[in-house]
Every structure is written in structure tokens, then in C-alpha cells.
Amino acid sequence: MSEKKAVPLSVLDLAPIPQGATARDAFHTSLALAQQSEKLGFHRYWLAEHHNMTGIASAATSVLIGYLAAGTSTLRLGSGGVMLPNHAPLVIAEQFGTLASLYPDRIDLGLGRAPGSDQRTMMALRRHQTNMQADSFPEDVAELIRWFDAADNEQPPVQPVPGLGLNIPVWLLGSSLYSAQLAAKMGLPFAFASHFAPDMLFQALHLYRESFVPSARLDKPYAMVCVNVVAADSDRDARFLFTSMQQQFINLRRGQPGPLPAPVENMDNLWSPSEQYGVQQALSMSVVGNIDQVRHGLASLIRETQADEIMVNGQIFDTQARLRSFELAMQAAKSL
């Protein structure tokens, strides 16, 4: 009987800007985390596109990917994701074609359909579009794949330079059934954002696997699940660190996003009962605790979702505590 292959562990980085810090500080922290991730054996490292968020520094996602790729040597880097409706597909093909030319076999393009911002910011991002409501996402994804998969002798009238024929891996990301269905139809790998929107996780995974149509890119479904992990040497320390993320979600729900708050000993005076319920629902796919608790949490997640890969997010205020959390997460995963 063959031994079951270990499930790869990867990193999602929102390049958080803690209170009192700058975007430059966040970039340096991301580089330290990427370099540690490479040493520890994390499979891939993705950055997320968000706009008009004073607590998140990864708005220019492809630029930041290039910075981290230059500071590492083997780690896979990519977007988790680029919000494709904010951009012309040709520009994204050129950006990721450039990255893939500079760092061959190390670049992933994860694509999302959400704006990654509020309505007013979305309008500012999409001024070039005459119809803000038109959903061209499936066609735009297909166009990117046609460019990336073009044969050597193909010369389309419009082509990304570089980018044409580079076979850059494309993923669809989602927190609902839409992207699960589209990824299945197009034969692409799928990543579910259960770290902030867990409600449809199991339904989306089932739909993706049941509906999957093999493609030239992928012969069978490949599903990645993203969760929050906050690990520390003690359960008490981990729960203390986790309060930064809880506060961040309260602020987001109040329409007051800002820098990542410092952790607090007690949340009771900071949220109402309804806010507490909402935040706990949104963050229900979070593994918080010491290494034994994280090991148990990851094992349960893998068993319940049958995920092909787990991606770990961790919004932690203190840089050293954040690095330690990812280190403990990998130790826990390796001991499964």
C-alpha cells in the first residue's frame, strides 16, 4: 500500500501594515516571511490585491511579487489574487509574462472576480470601462489562457510581450459557487477563500470536484483551501495575537478599515454581541493555539475538506511573532 502524500502548505500574505508602521515596513516584513517560507519548505507564497485599505500594502501586487522573487531563489510566488475586472487582461498578461521571464517556473497567476475594494474605489479603478456592470470575467480568463498557451508558431494580432506561450499557471479564486463552477468548466485549479468567507466552502468544493472537466492544463481537480493560522508557544499567547485580526474585522464591518491593531488582553469591551457573532462566523476557519492545537486543527481541516493543498494566512501585529507563527504552522504540518 502506497504512503499517502503529504498535503503541501503555502502562504497567503496581505502585507499587513500594523499601527505605527509604514508600507515600507510591511514590504520588509513580507520579504523576511518569504525568505523564511523558502527555508521552511512552504510550497508557494501568494499576495492579495486590495485597494484603498490603509492596513494592507499589496495593492501593486505584481510589483511586490517581483520584489520578493528577487529576494528568494526557489519559492513559488504569485497572486492570491489579482482582481481581473480591475485590469485590462493584456496588462496582466504582460506583467506576469515579465515576472515569469525574470523568474522562470516560479510564478503563479491567481485570479479573482471581486473588486477588492469599496464601490467608490472600484469606480476609480475602472474608469476606463464604459459598462461597470458587464461581467466579462470568463472571457478575460480564457483570453489570458489563449495567450499563455499559444504555440511557438502562433502570432495573434495582439499579443503580450513578454507572456505569449509562457504557460504561466492560472488559478481561479473564490468565496462562492461562481468561481468553483467556472474553474471546473475550464479545467483549472481552484482556491477557496475560507479564511474570511467560510460559509460555502464544502458546497463549492463538492461542485468543483463533481463538475470538473479535464483540460490541457489539468487532468483532475486540484483544490486549495485558505485558512487563518495563528500559532504561538502557548495557547494563551496565540489567542492574544489573534485579537489583532478580530479587531481588524470589526473595523472593516464598521466601515472603518485601518492599520492592523495591536493585540489586546480582552475583547469584551471592543465588540457588541452581534459584532462578536459576525466576526466569529467570518473567522470560523481559523486555527489558533499552540503547536499541538495547530496540528490537530490542520489534520481536521485536511480530513474534512480533502484539500490538495492548504494555504495559511496570518495577520499578526508583531513581526517576530508572525514569523514564529508560520514556523510553528510548518512544524505542525510536517508532523502530521
Side-chain angles (χ1 to χ4, degrees):
M1 188 172 172
S2 63
E3 189 178 326
K4 188 168 170 59
K5 191 179 176 186
V7 174
L9 199 65
S10 295
V11 175
L12 176 67
D13 182 8
L14 273 61
I17 306 173
Q19 283 174 345
T22 65
R24 181 183 173 87
D25 297 328
F27 298 147
H28 291 163
T29 299
S30 289
L31 179 58
L33 181 58
Q35 290 171 338
Q36 174 183 275
S37 299
E38 182 170 85
K39 286 176 190 164
L40 293 174
F42 280 92
H43 186 52
R44 67 183 92 236
Y45 190 110
W46 282 2
L47 295 141
E49 176 187 346
H50 290 275
H51 298 278
N52 195 28
M53 304 276 278
T54 55
I56 296 176
S58 52
T61 315
S62 58
V63 178
L64 190 50
I65 290 169
Y67 170 64
L68 300 187
T72 52
S73 55
T74 58
L75 185 66
R76 289 202 70 86
L77 288 139
S79 57
V82 158
M83 300 299 120
L84 191 55
N86 294 340
H87 311 277
L90 179 62
V91 173
I92 296 304
E94 290 168 341
Q95 288 176 0
F96 279 77
T98 300
L99 288 167
S101 298
L102 288 167
Y103 309 104
D105 301 318
R106 292 182 58 201
I107 301 299
D108 299 324
L109 175 54
L111 297 170
R113 178 170 161 260
S117 59
D118 57 77
Q119 195 74 21
R120 187 178 294 177
T121 308
M122 187 181 83
M123 295 286 286
L125 284 163
R126 304 183 186 185
R127 280 183 182 155
H128 63 284
Q129 296 183 10
T130 52
N131 184 356
M132 297 279 180
Q133 304 306 316
D135 183 9
S136 61
F137 184 70
E139 293 78 15
D140 290 347
V141 174
E143 186 171 30
L144 283 168
I145 289 171
R146 278 197 300 274
W147 279 326
F148 292 152
D149 290 358
D152 290 342
N153 60 350
E154 284 185 67
Q155 296 294 323
V158 176
Q159 56 181 279
V161 181
L164 193 72
L166 290 186
N167 298 113
I168 297 165
V170 172
W171 290 67
L172 292 193
L173 282 51
S175 57
S176 67
L177 304 183
Y178 179 97
S179 289
Q181 204 158 10
L182 185 61
K185 182 180 176 183
M186 298 184 80
L188 294 173
F190 174 60
F192 193 88
S194 48
H195 61 296
F196 72 88
D199 292 353
M200 291 187 174
L201 169 63
F202 293 99
Q203 203 177 341
L205 290 176
H206 177 76
L207 177 65
Y208 170 65
R209 288 165 177 151
E210 287 297 306
S211 311
F212 186 83
V213 179
S215 70
R217 285 181 156 248
L218 196 62
D219 61 354
K220 61 182 180 180
Y222 190 97
M224 178 157 64
V225 174
C226 186
V227 295
N228 302 302
V229 172
V230 178
D233 292 310
S234 73
D235 175 53
R236 184 180 177 281
D237 286 348
R239 301 211 164 273
F240 173 68
L241 296 173
F242 187 51
T243 62
S244 291
M245 204 182 303
Q246 291 172 319
Q247 292 176 78
Q248 189 178 48
F249 266 72
I250 295 171
N251 294 339
L252 202 56
R253 284 163 177 257
R254 290 175 180 169
Q256 302 167 340
L260 183 67
V264 293
E265 290 290 349
N266 194 321
M267 289 288 297
D268 291 347
N269 297 326
L270 297 178
W271 54 16
S272 67
S274 62
E275 285 175 331
Q276 180 178 0
Y277 176 79
V279 170
Q280 287 176 342
Q281 285 292 105
L283 298 178
S284 61
M285 294 298 282
S286 299
V287 181
V288 182
N290 60 34
I291 190 167
D292 291 331
Q293 290 162 315
V294 171
R295 184 188 299 114
H296 176 74
L298 290 176
S300 298
L301 180 71
I302 292 165
R303 184 174 63 251
E304 290 165 11
T305 63
Q306 294 296 300
D308 299 290
E309 189 170 335
I310 299 294
M311 183 162 268
V312 174
N313 174 56
Q315 304 284 85
I316 295 172
F317 183 81
D318 179 77
T319 298
Q320 292 308 313
R322 190 164 184 241
L323 293 171
R324 179 64 175 154
S325 178
F326 281 93
E327 180 185 9
L328 289 169
M330 180 51 85
Q331 286 178 16
K334 284 181 174 175
S335 66
L336 290 176

